[in-house]
């Protein structure tokens, strides 16, 4: 990985790419395309923060983030892919999957949450399932976020020391340090079985989050055959003259207290 991407360059390029994402979303709506983007990788690899940058300016009614919780007892008895199917996009929708059915190839396998039979069945069925999606017209993109062992541990320690981000650190996350090689083998096996021509794996080197986000978003845009969609101009009409409406007295309303006034320095109130 090259040197850390300068912040000013990063912010300028991110804004430009996010504008292109808005154009891409408009094309998805207009064309009726269905897009699924899978974000996978090690714990603390930067999947969530990248998803936040991708979706930041997109319409949440069009672009949904799917992050499923631990399966219920009932869901554990279903066909493995069944709980994911209801979250797939309809025409004109984009789904960003913060982890996906590949949980079975990674954490479930390494931590012993599934049997060997279930694991090998997944490796057999996942390519079949994905070929069916692509054959039906779904645009499926799969990204693996890679991070070094040194950087991962650094991020774990940073989260543990930050009360605002400590919720991101779970016991399973910490265990991934002791199972680094197990996860590496699981990832290698997963790629061998599921990197198919219809749905390739693309690896994102994310030791530098700024560089990784820019590279991933740029690549995503290059994989969607979108075109610029002309939007009908919106004319804001002039405000009509008053019809005699009078607002009720302020004292009759329950306003939120002006907390800001209690924390501003005296000289800031005039600015």
């Amino acid at each position: 990985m090259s040197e850390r991407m300068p912040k000013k360059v990063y912010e300028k390029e991110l804004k430009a790419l996010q504008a292109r994402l808005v154009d891409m979303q408009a094309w998805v709506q207009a064309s009726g395309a269905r897009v699924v983007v899978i974000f996978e990788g090690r714990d603390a690899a930067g999947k969530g923060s990248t998803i936040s940058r991708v979706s930041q300016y997109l319409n949440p009614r069009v672009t949904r983030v799917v992050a499923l919780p631990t399966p219920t007892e009932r869901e554990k008895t279903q066909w493995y892919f069944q709980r994911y199917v209801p979250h797939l996009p309809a025409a004109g929708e984009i789904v960003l999957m913060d982890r996906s059915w590949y949980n079975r190839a990674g954490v479930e396998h390494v931590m012993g949450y599934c049997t060997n039979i279930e694991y090998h069945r997944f490796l057999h069925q996942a390519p079949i399932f994905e070929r069916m999606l692509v054959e039906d017209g779904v645009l499926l993109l799969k990204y693996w976020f890679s991070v070094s062992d040194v950087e991962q541990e650094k991020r774990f320690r940073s989260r543990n020391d930050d009360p605002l981000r400590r919720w991101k650190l779970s016991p399973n996350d910490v265990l991934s340090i002791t199972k680094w090689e197990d996860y590496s083998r699981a990832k290698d096996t997963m790629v061998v079985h599921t990197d198919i021509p219809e749905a390739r794996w693309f690896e994102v080197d994310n030791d530098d989050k700024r560089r990784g986000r820019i590279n991933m978003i740029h690549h995503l845009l290059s994989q969607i055959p979108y075109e610029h969609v002309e939007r009908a101009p919106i004319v804001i009409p002039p405000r009509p003259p008053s019809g005699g409406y009078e607002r009720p007295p302020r004292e009759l309303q329950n306003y939120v207290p002006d907390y800001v006034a209690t924390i501003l320095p005296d000289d800031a109130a005039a600015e």
Side-chain angles (χ1 to χ4, degrees):
M1 173 64 74
S2 304
E3 70 279 0
R4 183 174 173 81
M5 186 177 189
K7 186 176 181 180
K8 287 186 177 179
V9 178
Y10 162 73
E11 291 178 342
K12 180 180 179 181
E13 187 62 26
L14 179 62
K15 278 290 188 291
L17 291 174
Q18 287 175 324
R20 290 177 58 190
L21 285 169
V22 172
D23 287 340
M24 184 267 285
Q25 178 184 247
W27 174 82
V28 169
Q29 285 185 275
S31 66
R34 293 171 290 162
V35 180
V36 176
V37 186
I38 289 176
F39 294 75
E40 288 287 347
R42 294 181 183 273
D43 297 312
K47 301 179 296 296
S49 60
T50 304
I51 291 172
S52 296
R53 272 61 175 191
V54 170
S55 62
Q56 186 173 2
Y57 295 105
L58 301 184
N59 183 345
R61 294 183 179 87
V62 176
T63 302
R64 303 193 316 274
V65 178
V66 174
L68 298 188
T70 303
T72 64
E73 291 303 314
R74 180 175 182 274
E75 287 172 332
K76 290 177 182 178
T77 68
Q78 297 174 341
W79 175 47
Y80 178 72
F81 295 93
Q82 188 170 337
R83 67 191 296 251
Y84 294 96
V85 170
H87 300 280
L88 294 173
E93 294 180 348
I94 302 169
V95 171
L96 309 176
M97 303 199 78
D98 186 354
R99 294 198 183 276
S100 64
W101 44 84
Y102 282 102
N103 270 344
R104 176 138 296 177
V107 63
E108 289 191 19
H109 172 58
V110 173
M111 301 302 295
Y113 298 151
C114 67
T115 66
N116 278 332
I117 292 176
E118 290 171 331
Y119 169 65
H120 288 289
R121 182 185 300 135
F122 170 83
L123 293 178
H124 170 69
Q125 291 186 348
I128 299 172
F129 176 65
E130 292 176 2
R131 286 189 182 101
M132 291 172 64
L133 294 179
V134 174
E135 184 179 292
D136 202 61
V138 173
L139 297 172
L140 176 61
L141 291 164
K142 304 185 298 191
Y143 291 95
W144 177 270
F145 285 74
S146 179
V147 65
S148 67
D149 53 351
V150 173
E151 181 63 23
Q152 184 193 53
E153 184 173 350
K154 177 183 174 182
R155 292 177 187 176
F156 282 161
R157 295 190 184 281
S158 176
R159 288 180 181 182
N160 200 35
D161 294 337
D162 185 349
L164 298 180
R165 297 187 301 136
R166 196 172 295 148
W167 64 270
K168 291 186 174 183
L169 196 60
S170 71
N172 269 354
D173 294 338
V174 178
L175 279 177
S176 67
I177 293 179
T178 65
K179 293 182 176 291
W180 180 268
E181 290 191 1
D182 293 334
Y183 275 104
S184 295
R185 294 187 186 95
K187 181 254 185 175
D188 292 343
T189 301
M190 175 195 77
V191 171
V192 167
H193 286 269
T194 63
D195 183 31
I196 57 176
E198 297 87 348
R200 308 310 302 247
W201 275 108
F202 297 103
E203 188 153 344
V204 181
D205 190 338
N206 212 38
D207 266 10
D208 176 2
K209 287 186 178 182
R210 293 174 187 167
R211 187 182 294 267
R213 291 167 188 161
I214 296 300
N215 288 340
M216 183 269 159
I217 296 172
H218 182 271
H219 185 270
L220 168 64
L221 289 165
S222 75
Q223 298 299 300
I224 305 294
Y226 73 97
E227 299 174 355
H228 180 71
V229 175
E230 289 293 337
R231 299 175 179 84
I234 296 176
V235 178
I236 300 177
R239 190 176 297 278
S242 172
Y245 169 77
E246 293 186 10
R247 189 173 182 176
R250 186 180 177 88
E251 58 269 18
L252 297 181
Q253 310 299 318
N254 293 315
Y255 280 89
V256 172
D258 188 6
Y259 166 71
V260 173
T262 68
I263 61 174
L264 283 177
D266 293 339
D267 56 351
E271 293 182 3

